[in-house]
Amino acid sequence: MTDTLETAAHPENLRRVAIDPVSRVEGHGKVTLLLDENDRVHQVRLHIVEFRGFEKFIQGRPYWEAPVMVQRLCGICPVSHHLAASKAMDMIVGATLTPTAEKVRRLMHYGQILQSHALHFFHLCSPDLLFGFDSDVAKRNIVGIVAAYPDIAKQGVLLRKFGQEVIRITAGKRVHGTGSIPGGVNKNVSLEERDYLLKDIEQIVTWSRESVGIARKLFEQNLDLYNNFGRFKAHTLNIVRADGAMDLYHGGLRARDMDGKTLFDHYDYSHYWDVIFEDVKPWSYMKFPFLRSLGTENGWYRVGPLSRVTQCDFIPTPLAEAERKAFMAFDGGKAAGATLGFHWARMIEMLHAAEQIRELLLDPDLQGNDLVSKGVRQERGVGVIEAPRGTLIHHYKVDENDQIVRCNLIVSTTHNNQAMNEAIRQVARQFIDGKKLTEGLLNHIEVAIRAFDPCLSCATHALGKMPLEVELLDAEGGRVDMLTRSSDGTFACQSDHA
Amino acid sequence: MSDTFQLDGAAVPFEPGQTVMQAALAAGHYIPHLCYHPEFKPHGSCKLCTVKVNGRTTASCTMPAEANLNVESNIEELNALRRTLVQMLFAEGNHFCPSCEKSGNCMLQALGYDLEVHATGFRHLYPDRPLDASHPDVLLDFNRCILCELCVRASSEVDGKNVFALSGRGITKHLIVNAESGKLSDTDFALYDKAMQVCPVGVILPKRVGFSQPIGERRYDKRPISAQALDDAPRQVDTSGNCEACEDPT
Ligand code: SF4
Ligand code: FES
């Protein structure tokens, strides 16, 4: 076994195993493993079909179209792109948001966090977490959860639905809304709309709190596994409010190295390229961003709930803050560094989102009528937001005719590219190296990927129904074994050398 | 008592000189249409308004009304044809409704909903039609042009400017700007021109205001195009002497 597992020294005599596509994640990704005849692992890579062509596609389009058009990037968190692009366009039109505009947008964003986190935890991950990583694959899906834990499944559905309703009311539609526009929003929240959401919010806060409890219990019950599964040390990146508080909508960039030393803090993201750069590797479509001060090799970092919850100074809502403290203190701080700590952190954020929604709903600014502002027109606009999956950067250049001439996007999953590769290599070392492959073992790799909640490409979306094919090839490339999962979830094993 | 013709079994009165379309709309009967506009001479190009008159198909927007015609419009055979025409228009240009600022105010989209066009039907041609953003106040997005010539007619007949024209034939037919450079900025086109208001789709757009109207308040969010087309049409009094459109709504 080579050290980094990124590139095998002698790939020619190794057999290749592919997990293609990775299931229960958003979009299409695949994992390839190279193994020798003794089942030792030599290479592990996560490949991703990225948002190819989008940056090109948007060239020439009018800038006010970007916040709506970019939602086509992703079927699961279109609102994040909607808001990041809007923030970039705020800069283009020289706007300082009115209180109503900013609060309506925040409400929309927390609705998005709530629905996305609920979807991820309950629909995509609870089968692994509640049944076990190598449990009966026929039951390891949302249908199995509905049968075994009907209350949890129902809460998941209703939490998500509430988040979607917040989005519908602020953006006009559940998907492909238009609420946020350059310089502000196109509607406020009426008293009827507010009251409609208020009537369920206490229940939503309660359920979100219980969800944090589920995540905590998973750690308590499987302490060793959860603390150590795919564990690795990583630098972190996220945005924080000026006072160091968690703020998922706006703030300055904070980066810390793997030992907790601050690399930069409250950094103005409109010059993000001075601190973050993107590398390319021949084997993946997805770029590999890195912190410039640490260089290409060592500068990779992790974004998302785990980074945000562990790196903020505090969470500005009381219930979530109490949960953050408990998480940070758990088992001497071990959970806060664990790959599966993502799930716990994600539920803390969901609780924070619910609390934020409750607070915002009582704010009379939501009913204000001053919706849009503008100032001196600029050529360049950068919008950064903490999307459910992590820091999301939108960057545009707009010419004097109002057409977009350049666009650069760094999406959350791209930031986590190297970190996810590290996580699955660690899992390969821990669970696969030297063992005979089974579906359950391979699922460990997917469990590590799912912890990050990657959104691997735009619109495609299937829940546990993606056909999966794992091939074992011998040194000459001939097929030895093939394990397939069909779209109804049944497995078949086929040996060619019978 | 004026003469009448039969439209889907109902008697429709008409004045001499009216077309079947004009008489039908005036009497409160909707016939789908795209290139017809009550303020302009009919043009007869989109064929959405095709009806059967005494068994033969014809464009109702150009067909003169005559006594005792038997006109069929709202029948499955014709609606199927109209669906196909809408599908062809969608396939011919680049129409991405979810990110189009005319969404909710677009006649083509509204007709698609009204006629229940649910599938693409044809392979998209994805033509390459760059935008003209040269004008300081107006954007031209040719991707959505359905060649109805309403802007051509409005600019020459009402504005007296002759800014637009159609060029080419068949599938290569396209809208051009009458300027040596071909750019809108080199014409005297202005925001308040009539040609600014007539485009049924999202080609001729005022700059920097897209998406400022929230979903729910757009024209076709509330009522389907079939109901609204009648609001725009000059109406006639019904047999009891009442005119819906003339009544003071307050
Ligand atoms: S630009 Fe609009 S009004 Fe002019 S021909 Fe094209 S679709 Fe008709
Ligand atoms: S409306 Fe009659 S042909 Fe277009």
Side-chain angles (χ1 to χ4, degrees):
Chain A
M1 189 163 90
T2 56
D3 241 356
T4 70
L5 293 190
E6 177 173 322
T7 302
H10 299 286
E12 40 320 320
N13 292 320
L14 302 173
R15 77 180 196 275
R16 180 174 171 276
V17 178
I19 305 178
D20 183 12
V22 177
S23 68
R24 282 187 277 133
V25 295
E26 304 303 339
H28 186 150
K30 76 175 177 189
V31 174
T32 56
L33 310 163
L34 290 186
L35 308 164
D36 65 18
E37 64 272 23
N38 300 318
D39 295 309
R40 305 305 305 266
V41 182
H42 289 256
Q43 179 179 302
V44 183
R45 289 171 172 179
L46 168 64
H47 313 249
I48 276 162
V49 185
E50 249 273 72
F51 312 133
R52 280 168 301 160
F54 194 84
E55 287 150 335
K56 185 108 192 92
F57 183 69
I58 202 156
Q59 275 173 25
R61 302 305 310 172
Y63 72 78
W64 55 88
E65 199 177 270
V68 177
M69 161 112 44
V70 291
Q71 297 184 83
R72 290 166 56 186
L73 274 169
C74 174
I76 208 70
C77 70
V79 170
S80 309
H81 291 293
H82 185 50
L83 291 174
S86 296
K87 288 181 81 180
M89 295 313 160
D90 294 344
M91 269 174 86
I92 296 287
V93 301
T96 310
L97 291 191
T98 65
T100 301
E102 174 161 343
K103 285 170 187 173
V104 171
R105 282 198 194 168
R106 280 181 178 272
L107 185 60
M108 193 191 303
H109 187 46
Y110 288 113
Q112 164 73 3
I113 297 277
L114 186 80
Q115 77 90 12
S116 176
H117 281 3
L119 172 78
H120 179 260
F121 187 73
F122 292 99
H123 294 234
L124 304 180
C125 292
S126 68
D128 296 325
L129 305 177
L130 298 179
F131 292 139
F133 306 165
D134 45 13
S135 59
D136 178 4
V137 69
K139 289 211 200 92
R140 203 198 307 137
N141 52 46
I142 187 66
V143 181
I145 290 291
V146 172
Y149 304 93
D151 289 346
I152 290 182
K154 187 175 142 221
Q155 275 177 31
V157 169
L158 293 176
L159 281 163
R160 173 154 194 246
K161 189 159 165 260
F162 183 83
Q164 288 173 320
E165 284 301 280
V166 173
I167 293 169
R168 183 181 63 76
I169 280 167
T170 48
K173 266 162 86 182
R174 280 177 167 198
V175 281
H176 281 301
T178 61
S180 181
I181 57 177
V185 293
N186 67 15
K187 74 183 288 287
N188 64 10
V189 175
S190 70
L191 286 171
E192 300 80 72
E193 289 168 332
R194 182 202 67 175
D195 291 345
Y196 166 73
L197 293 174
L198 269 180
K199 96 184 144 34
D200 292 329
I201 187 65
E202 290 307 328
Q203 180 67 75
I204 293 301
V205 172
T206 306
W207 282 340
S208 300
R209 218 174 158 186
E210 286 168 16
S211 306
V212 183
I214 298 175
R216 182 192 174 99
K217 214 156 113 208
L218 286 166
F219 265 81
E220 285 168 350
Q221 289 170 345
N222 314 277
L223 201 55
D224 249 10
L225 177 66
Y226 273 66
N227 277 342
N228 298 314
F229 181 85
R231 189 185 186 91
F232 64 99
K233 285 181 99 176
H235 315 312
T236 58
L237 179 83
N238 55 295
I239 58 177
V240 286
R241 202 163 78 179
D243 59 359
M246 169 180 279
D247 190 337
L248 304 178
Y249 177 77
H250 191 68
L253 291 168
R254 168 177 284 180
R256 295 219 171 114
D257 74 8
M258 55 177 72
D259 299 315
K261 196 171 106 293
T262 301
L263 298 167
F264 49 83
D265 208 359
H266 306 295
Y267 191 86
D268 177 2
Y269 63 60
S270 60
H271 297 277
Y272 71 91
W273 55 86
D274 287 334
V275 289
I276 300 164
F277 216 66
E278 293 170 285
D279 191 23
V280 287
K281 299 199 181 193
W283 53 268
S284 179
Y285 282 120
M286 186 152 71
K287 289 184 264 186
F288 287 81
F290 60 93
L291 300 167
R292 281 188 117 158
S293 61
L294 300 180
T296 357
E297 275 307 301
N298 302 316
W300 60 271
Y301 51 91
R302 193 185 57 207
V303 300
L306 186 58
S307 298
R308 295 188 293 233
V309 170
T310 58
Q311 301 308 314
C312 69
D313 300 340
F314 64 100
I315 297 180
T317 52
L319 298 177
E321 171 61 3
E323 296 294 350
R324 183 193 70 87
K325 284 186 175 145
F327 174 61
M328 296 301 283
F330 185 81
D331 200 18
K334 281 230 186 73
T339 292
L340 292 175
F342 256 109
H343 295 293
W344 190 343
R346 195 170 283 118
M347 291 302 95
I348 294 173
E349 285 192 346
M350 187 168 84
L351 175 58
H352 172 56
E355 287 183 283
Q356 286 280 10
I357 292 170
R358 179 167 66 181
E359 200 178 302
L360 280 163
L361 285 176
L362 295 174
D363 192 321
D365 278 340
L366 284 188
Q367 282 81 46
N369 288 311
D370 201 1
L371 303 181
V372 191
S373 71
K374 61 172 183 246
V376 183
R377 178 74 150 68
Q378 307 292 320
E379 200 189 19
R380 195 190 286 281
V382 180
V384 178
I385 197 162
E386 283 295 339
R389 295 162 177 82
T391 317
L392 170 65
I393 301 177
H394 276 227
H395 176 190
Y396 303 88
K397 206 177 147 199
V398 178
D399 71 9
E400 67 284 0
N401 288 333
D402 299 326
Q403 287 176 287
I404 294 168
V405 290
R406 206 184 95 86
C407 160
N408 188 42
L409 308 175
I410 311 182
V411 303
S412 325
T413 300
T414 304
H415 291 292
N416 275 336
N417 194 359
Q418 184 66 25
M420 286 187 290
N421 272 286
E422 288 301 321
I424 60 174
R425 282 166 201 156
Q426 191 54 28
V427 169
R429 286 184 194 103
Q430 291 173 323
F431 296 93
I432 294 184
D433 194 46
K435 301 208 181 72
K436 177 137 182 59
L437 274 183
T438 61
E439 186 282 331
L441 278 183
L442 282 177
N443 188 49
H444 283 64
I445 297 243
E446 295 192 71
V447 167
I449 296 171
R450 279 182 212 123
F452 289 79
D453 186 14
C455 178
L456 297 182
S457 82
C458 24
T460 49
H461 183 207
L463 299 173
K465 280 194 179 166
M466 280 184 168
L468 174 100
E469 199 176 288
V470 180
E471 275 186 319
L472 299 194
L473 307 177
D474 64 20
E476 280 77 49
R479 194 169 74 195
V480 182
D481 274 316
M482 186 166 84
L483 197 56
T484 53
R485 181 179 63 210
S486 63
S487 49
D488 62 4
T490 53
F491 273 86
C493 189
Q494 214 178 300
S495 282
D496 280 9
H497 52 155
Chain B
M1 173 84 193
S2 59
D3 282 329
T4 62
F5 61 86
Q6 292 290 311
L7 174 62
D8 292 330
V12 175
F14 66 93
E15 307 286 334
Q18 275 189 319
T19 60
V20 167
M21 172 73 80
Q22 284 166 330
L25 291 176
H29 300 282
Y30 173 67
I31 300 176
H33 57 270
L34 261 181
C35 71
Y36 168 74
H37 187 293
E39 293 170 49
F40 294 96
K41 218 164 110 238
H43 177 242
S45 66
C46 77
K47 306 296 180 212
L48 254 298
C49 69
T50 298
V51 292
K52 274 189 161 181
V53 176
N54 297 341
R56 297 181 55 181
T57 54
T58 183
S60 62
C61 69
T62 52
M63 173 80 194
E66 278 172 42
N68 304 322
L69 291 179
N70 179 23
V71 182
E72 295 167 279
S73 172
N74 191 14
I75 56 174
E76 184 42 35
E77 179 193 344
L78 290 174
N79 285 333
L81 175 83
R82 290 173 183 137
R83 275 193 282 276
T84 306
L85 286 171
V86 168
Q87 286 175 324
M88 285 164 77
L89 287 171
F90 269 104
E92 218 173 272
N94 297 312
H95 301 272
F96 302 112
C97 296
S99 56
C100 175
E101 63 188 272
K102 193 72 181 240
S103 218
N105 291 311
C106 170
M107 278 182 76
L108 180 64
Q109 183 193 39
L111 261 178
Y113 280 127
D114 216 39
L115 291 166
E116 298 182 352
V117 179
H118 296 308
T120 332
F122 297 94
R123 196 164 53 81
H124 281 263
L125 298 183
Y126 298 117
D128 182 21
R129 300 184 191 162
L131 274 58
D132 180 347
S134 61
H135 194 284
D137 305 317
V138 180
L139 174 76
L140 296 181
D141 188 342
F142 298 107
N143 288 296
R144 305 162 185 152
C145 183
I146 56 168
L147 309 174
C148 70
E149 275 194 83
L150 276 170
C151 59
V152 179
R153 290 180 270 169
S155 186
S156 72
E157 291 168 28
V158 181
D159 305 327
K161 292 186 178 176
N162 228 350
V163 169
F164 300 106
L166 292 192
S167 169
R169 298 172 149 270
I171 198 71
T172 67
K173 196 193 241 183
H174 61 287
L175 186 72
I176 57 163
V177 170
N178 281 322
E180 214 172 307
S181 65
K183 292 283 173 212
L184 195 64
S185 55
D186 291 328
T187 69
D188 52 357
F189 193 73
L191 257 185
Y192 46 81
D193 282 2
K194 181 72 182 174
M196 196 66 216
Q197 300 155 19
V198 293
C199 182
V201 292
V203 180
I204 308 175
L205 301 161
K207 278 188 169 180
R208 298 175 289 276
V209 297
F211 304 105
S212 49
Q213 203 178 18
I215 293 169
E217 286 176 24
R218 303 169 309 181
R219 179 164 185 177
Y220 300 113
D221 285 336
K222 290 191 174 127
R223 292 166 65 221
I225 190 170
S226 46
Q228 298 202 43
L230 299 175
D231 301 348
D232 293 346
R235 297 290 288 274
Q236 281 174 354
V237 289
D238 65 19
T239 41
S240 52
N242 298 320
C243 168
E244 239 181 272
C246 310
E247 271 164 28
D248 189 352
T250 54

